[in-house]
Amino acid sequence: MEWLKWFVGATTDPKFAVVAKRSGQNMASVIAVWAMLLERAGQADERGRIDGFDCEGADTVLGLEDGAACSIMQAMQAKGLIDGGCITNWDKRQRREEPEAVKERKRLQREREKLAAELATLEKARAEVLAASRNVTPCHAESHDVTDVTHKRREDKKEEIQGGGYNAGARDAHPMPGTPPEQFRGEPDGLNSADSGSAVLVQPFSEPPATVSSMPKRTDCPSKGNPQWQCFLSCWQVYPVKQGQEAAWREWMRLHGNGTLAEPYVIRDAIILLAQEDSRWQRGKVPNMAKWLNGKGWNDCPYVEPAASQGNVPRDGPPVARTQAQRNRQNLEGLAAFVRAAEQELTHGNTTAHIGRIGTHGHSLPAAN
């Protein structure tokens, strides 16, 4: 749909009064022809031009006398409103300037896109670090960059051990690559008296390498830096049940991703309305927000229990436990029924011996054999 500007005060502009006077037409006809000329200029390939304007058609549409539209156009050309088949100062008058609200909205959109790009970069870097940590093995944990000084110290210690009479073949039977020279100590360990002064190779204690299980687990819950988090939080704050926030946030982002999530103000208004008018919500029967979002509860109307016409009000849900007053009343009604039944038995000629066989509901029990 094409739009064009209509300036305030055009209907009272003295120029149109002059055009009406020169063309011999009334002011309303001049304003109507001017509006049709603006629409023609706005739809032209070269905006502002009015070539091919049908004056006869304008007379018919506006109900003017023949030639009225042409005389109005000639008066406008003489007044300077039309110049060279174009609306005068069309580009200046119809320049589209963005209001401050539109500029602010675009600025916020650019900031959100920039923030989303930064978050994506951080997530990518984090994924690369996790992938690299999963590939760490004990052989990778050992350092293979040994300096010349370390090699020299090992060779010296080896000569010292061999010079002390230690069996090199026994030592080679238990190779421990990567063992630093400081782990060799001259302490006998189960050797005979002849070898009591020999150095013994001790297996060094080393902590197990870090595994993936010791690292913090990554959840599938979206990041709280997402622009949708503030929208979700505004609805979470008014929801009656403050349980399952992570599940609700995950469901919110799922619906937002597939384009089925309503506007935040619609969801927030629906929650407030249900909390105030829904009889089930007022009794505490409020589902978790994740389940409510999954069922698109913002489309629900408040449920109002029907008024009781006769008897008790029908209710849904599990039966409610009787109070102590209700139990006492039931016991008294049973006792009163027992007394009435006893009076009827005595009235019909039965003796007091039959009273012991009267049931709690007023029926006589069969005599015992």
Side-chain angles (χ1 to χ4, degrees), residues 123-198:
E123 289 293 335
K124 182 179 179 180
R126 182 173 178 270
E128 292 176 355
V129 172
L130 290 176
S133 63
R134 293 191 183 98
N135 296 329
V136 174
T137 59
C139 62
H140 289 101
E142 295 178 359
S143 173
H144 299 285
D145 298 332
V146 183
T147 60
D148 295 339
V149 177
T150 304
H151 279 296
K152 185 175 183 302
R153 293 178 63 185
R154 285 188 177 181
E155 293 295 332
D156 295 343
K157 182 60 69 174
K158 181 177 180 181
E159 293 176 359
E160 180 181 352
I161 292 174
Q162 290 178 351
Y166 181 70
N167 189 358
R171 176 174 54 81
D172 294 338
H174 303 282
M176 290 181 289
T179 304
E182 290 77 9
Q183 303 299 332
F184 294 95
R185 51 189 177 90
E187 181 177 316
D189 184 16
L191 301 178
N192 54 23
S193 58
D195 297 331
S196 60
S198 301

Side-chain angles (χ1 to χ4, degrees), residues 243-264:
Q243 293 179 352
Q245 186 186 46
E246 295 292 324
W249 169 233
R250 193 180 303 112
E251 183 64 19
W252 180 286
M253 290 303 297
R254 186 187 71 82
L255 295 174
H256 176 71
N258 58 30
T260 59
L261 184 68
E263 292 296 332

Side-chain angles (χ1 to χ4, degrees), residues 7 33 59 66 68-69 74 92 98 111 120 173 185 216 258 264 266 268 272 287 296 344:
F7 292 92
V33 172
D59 293 336
D66 295 341
Q74 293 174 2
K92 178 181 177 181
E98 294 183 352
E111 292 181 357
R185 51 189 177 90
N258 58 30
V266 175
R268 185 168 53 253
I272 296 174
K296 296 180 177 58
Q344 291 178 1

Side-chain angles (χ1 to χ4, degrees), residues 8-44:
V8 177
T11 56
T12 58
D13 194 336
K15 293 191 295 294
F16 293 119
V18 174
V19 171
K21 182 178 179 181
R22 291 180 179 178
S23 62
Q25 302 296 325
N26 55 36
M27 189 72 168
S29 300
V30 174
I31 296 298
V33 172
W34 176 250
M36 296 183 70
L37 289 173
L38 290 180
E39 291 181 359
R40 175 67 180 179
Q43 296 174 352

